[in-house]
Amino acid sequence: EGASCETGLALSFTKLNTIDMGRNRLKSTKPFAHLLALEELWLSGNGITTFEDVGHISVLGTRHGACLEGIYLEMNPVANEFEYRKTLADMIPSLKQIDADMIGGNAAHGIPGGDAGRQQSMVARLRELQDAAIIRARQQSEEQQQEEQQNGEAEPKTASEP
């Protein structure tokens, strides 16, 4: 009740950036939706059961200048929901950390954090690493075949044979 009273969190705290309200029997994030400077919200061990109960604070991660970067909802029933982290990252795009796990922007979706150029360079780097691994595997296979031939253990194999 105090979280919604005018003497509680309903007041405008323009510089409040971290709140720890763990284990307080909260059922919703609604009391925090107006705290626009919030960077960290720790709500572990409460009674938040659905993503709808979390949705009230989505504005803290979607508006221009959003600064909510970390949220702790472990030990709430909602944390057991299917695709919990992905859904939170979709709801609150500014998040960099969910519970104790860093997500790096859109990492929850398999996309490294950062701008599009960094994402493209990451894809290019992964392709380079994959190509290098394939080349290394072929070289090792060829070396093994040469050793076997020198030792008279096997017939020569073509590159397409396993």
Side-chain angles (χ1 to χ4, degrees), residues 13-20 35-42 67-70:
F13 291 98
T14 59
K15 296 184 180 184
L16 184 62
N17 61 17
T18 302
I19 293 181
D20 184 350
L35 300 171
L36 301 179
L38 212 53
E39 296 173 9
E40 297 280 334
L41 184 55
W42 304 341
C67 41
L68 186 63
E69 295 182 351

Side-chain angles (χ1 to χ4, degrees), residues 89-101:
D90 287 342
M91 289 173 69
I92 310 169
S94 63
L95 286 177
K96 295 181 181 175
Q97 183 172 345
I98 297 173
D99 300 332
D101 299 318

Side-chain angles (χ1 to χ4, degrees), residues 3 19-20 33 47 56 60 62 68 72 77 84 96 103 110-111 115 118 134 141 148 150 157:
I19 293 181
D20 184 350
H56 303 288
L60 300 178
T62 56
L68 186 63
Y72 286 79
Y84 159 71
K96 295 181 181 175
I103 61 171
I111 302 169
D115 58 34
R118 281 182 42 206
I134 291 169
S141 177
E148 290 173 354
Q150 289 174 352
K157 294 180 183 176

Side-chain angles (χ1 to χ4, degrees), residues 36-53:
L36 301 179
L38 212 53
E39 296 173 9
E40 297 280 334
L41 184 55
W42 304 341
L43 301 175
S44 302
N46 281 293
I48 299 169
T49 57
T50 68
F51 290 114
E52 186 175 293
D53 298 330

